[in-house]
Amino acid sequence: PLDVPPAPAGVPVVDRDPFSDETLTDPYPLHETLREAGPVAWLPRYGVYAVARYDEVVHVLQNHEIFVSGRGVGLSDYQKEKPWRPPSLLLEADPPQHTQARKVATSVFNPKTMRQIREEFQDTANRMVDELFAEGSTVEIDGVAELAAAYPLSVFPDFIGLSETGRENLLPYGNMAFNAFGPQNHLYDRAMETGGQAAPWIVEQCVVGTPKPGRFGATLHERAAEAGLDEDEAARLLRSFLTAGVDTTVHGIGAALRELAEHPEQWAALRQDPSKARAAFDETVRYMAPVQTFFRTVNEDTEVSGVQLPEGSKILMFLAAANRDPRHWEDPDTFDISRQASGHVGFGFGIHSCVGQIMARLEGECLLGALARRVAMIEVVGEPELQLNNTLRGWESLPLRLTAA
């Protein structure tokens, strides 16, 4: 933007573009630079503040009255610019609107629901892994297309009650939504093109009366009506799940497959005790956070760790950097599935923490558990390809060799 404010006095300046292809390909050097620069840094390219240390990121996430989401969780300030779509009632709203929407969501989407679907999800995972070995005991696959994406795309749409046709629109739409939180760069332009073609199907699936009766989508609409939300709000509430419910899980599972293949001792530990599957997924989300960054808007003059932040400032939280902050974690750059990783901020923190994280964890646990019980060895056999996105980090393709137990 041309109207970037000057660097604030006394705040360390880090003149790097967090959204460049180079940084998105290897974000870790920038993460370290930002953490070492100070508790708060200034990114002159976009005129925004940045926090990359664990304590400061948690502080911003916890103090939702000051660091608001309703003005947009991307680079745009919705008080000054029109959102590219009606804002999400969960992600881009503040109390009381957010409180009501979240209450409706968690009335349907909660640990009890997950217990009810667990067996079905585990059966699907077991079947998918078994089918890989239909031709023989060693198989070469694309770990993303055939596992990390295939599994969520087989369980999630049925759970929601989406139509059988058009499910291929879920990933391009999510990719577009997460790219839109960043600047309008070439990634944004490309995602808008492909995601734009997927958008009408997504909108149609969210209309009240469209999801299959008895499934999550229909039940969510019923609860929304009971809570006094109109049909447009009920549709927008379901859209939040379709937007953020697939790509993030796909990236989490893909990253887990890559790390477990690259760390055979961790794979051996998981095989020895498949009940560690959930811990392995959580450690992956800490180690290679599918959601790398999110913005907040400063809604009143405030300070963070002694740095003054004026009202209207945008602040970029580097969730992935906080997840590897040596001030908080021991050996943060080591992938270790026996670690207590549950305090990570990969799913956010506070009132805006990801509602769908319980399902992401269930999916990660079911698939990794199925693999641990059935696969003796997992190896990377080619060059994995990253999918560049302004907000997400994950693999586009992951060539793997699996050897059956």
Side-chain angles (χ1 to χ4, degrees):
L2 297 173
D3 54 347
V4 166
V11 181
V13 173
V14 177
D15 194 7
R16 298 266 299 286
D17 183 358
F19 303 106
S20 71
D21 286 7
E22 183 192 1
T23 303
L24 293 173
T25 301
D26 181 13
Y28 302 110
L30 174 61
H31 292 176
E32 189 178 359
T33 300
L34 286 166
R35 285 192 304 257
E36 295 312 310
V40 181
W42 176 255
L43 301 173
R45 188 172 298 250
Y46 301 106
V48 300
Y49 293 91
V51 285
R53 294 179 183 176
Y54 183 87
D55 287 350
E56 280 71 21
V57 167
V58 168
H59 173 79
V60 171
L61 287 168
Q62 270 180 325
N63 289 282
H64 57 267
E65 305 93 341
I66 297 172
F67 303 100
V68 297
S69 298
R71 291 171 70 166
V73 296
L75 191 52
S76 315
D77 181 350
Y78 291 170
Q79 261 188 22
K80 299 169 184 166
E81 297 171 56
K82 189 179 186 299
W84 65 277
R85 53 159 200 186
S88 159
L89 297 182
L90 288 174
L91 199 60
E92 299 162 314
D94 298 309
Q97 186 189 34
H98 170 267
T99 314
Q100 183 191 32
R102 191 164 177 117
K103 195 172 169 187
V104 171
T106 52
S107 74
V108 199
F109 204 85
N110 53 43
K112 186 183 168 199
T113 312
M114 295 303 110
R115 286 194 293 276
Q116 290 164 350
I117 61 173
R118 184 182 192 93
E119 199 177 323
E120 184 189 332
F121 273 41
Q122 189 64 67
D123 288 346
T124 304
N126 295 344
R127 193 170 60 246
M128 190 171 275
V129 174
D130 285 343
E131 281 167 5
L132 291 177
F133 295 111
E135 302 294 310
S137 61
T138 302
V139 58
E140 292 201 0
I141 62 165
D142 177 352
V144 175
E146 294 173 70
L147 283 173
Y151 177 63
L153 286 173
S154 66
V155 290
F156 178 82
D158 288 341
F159 169 77
I160 300 283
L162 304 180
S163 75
E164 301 294 329
T165 55
R167 293 173 173 192
E168 68 282 352
N169 289 302
L170 284 162
L171 288 175
Y173 184 78
N175 186 42
M176 169 177 75
F178 281 102
N179 265 310
F181 295 133
Q184 294 186 9
N185 54 13
H186 76 101
L187 295 172
Y188 171 93
D189 292 339
R190 198 169 62 205
M192 280 290 170
E193 201 175 306
T194 51
Q197 291 159 9
W201 183 83
I202 298 286
V203 169
E204 187 186 303
Q205 293 302 305
C206 294
V207 171
V208 172
T210 305
K212 288 179 188 157
R215 289 292 181 168
F216 172 81
T219 311
L220 185 73
H221 285 156
E222 286 162 22
R223 297 283 166 84
E226 287 162 16
L229 271 66
D230 63 29
E231 291 202 349
D232 174 58
E233 290 168 324
R236 272 164 68 193
L237 187 54
L238 180 55
R239 192 196 68 197
S240 295
F241 286 90
L242 302 197
T243 305
V246 191
D247 295 61
T248 45
T249 312
V250 170
H251 287 336
I253 294 172
L257 294 174
R258 159 78 195 267
E259 297 314 325
L260 288 163
E262 295 283 8
H263 299 84
E265 78 293 346
Q266 298 297 317
W267 178 246
L270 181 57
R271 284 206 63 222
Q272 202 175 348
D273 183 3
S275 73
K276 287 197 173 120
R278 177 169 290 226
F281 185 71
D282 248 327
E283 170 65 349
T284 303
V285 175
R286 181 201 71 83
Y287 187 79
M288 183 173 164
V291 179
Q292 293 271 303
T293 50
F294 261 136
F295 286 91
R296 292 287 187 265
T297 311
V298 180
N299 210 36
E300 58 185 72
D301 290 353
T302 189
E303 58 95 29
V304 172
S305 299
V307 177
Q308 300 301 316
L309 306 180
E311 183 277 328
S313 312
K314 275 282 176 179
I315 186 160
L316 179 55
M317 300 175 290
F318 285 82
L319 307 176
N323 279 348
R324 289 197 185 198
D325 183 0
R327 291 160 194 78
H328 183 82
W329 307 95
E330 206 172 311
D331 287 334
D333 296 328
T334 301
F335 178 73
D336 177 6
I337 69 168
S338 67
R339 181 196 298 275
Q340 280 295 315
S342 54
H344 68 71
V345 290
F347 291 119
F349 203 86
I351 67 159
H352 283 94
S353 67
C354 168
V355 174
Q357 62 183 288
I358 52 174
M359 187 168 203
R361 285 191 169 106
L362 177 66
E363 290 174 61
E365 182 183 359
C366 287
L367 187 60
L368 295 178
L371 286 161
R373 287 185 288 271
R374 189 80 173 77
V375 178
M377 198 153 73
I378 173 168
E379 304 159 273
V380 178
V381 289
E383 196 54 48
E385 187 193 338
L386 269 172
Q387 184 187 100
L388 295 190
N389 182 293
N390 283 324
T391 302
L392 301 178
R393 181 167 170 80
W395 299 107
E396 176 76 42
S397 68
L398 179 61
L400 295 176
R401 182 188 296 126
L402 308 181
T403 308

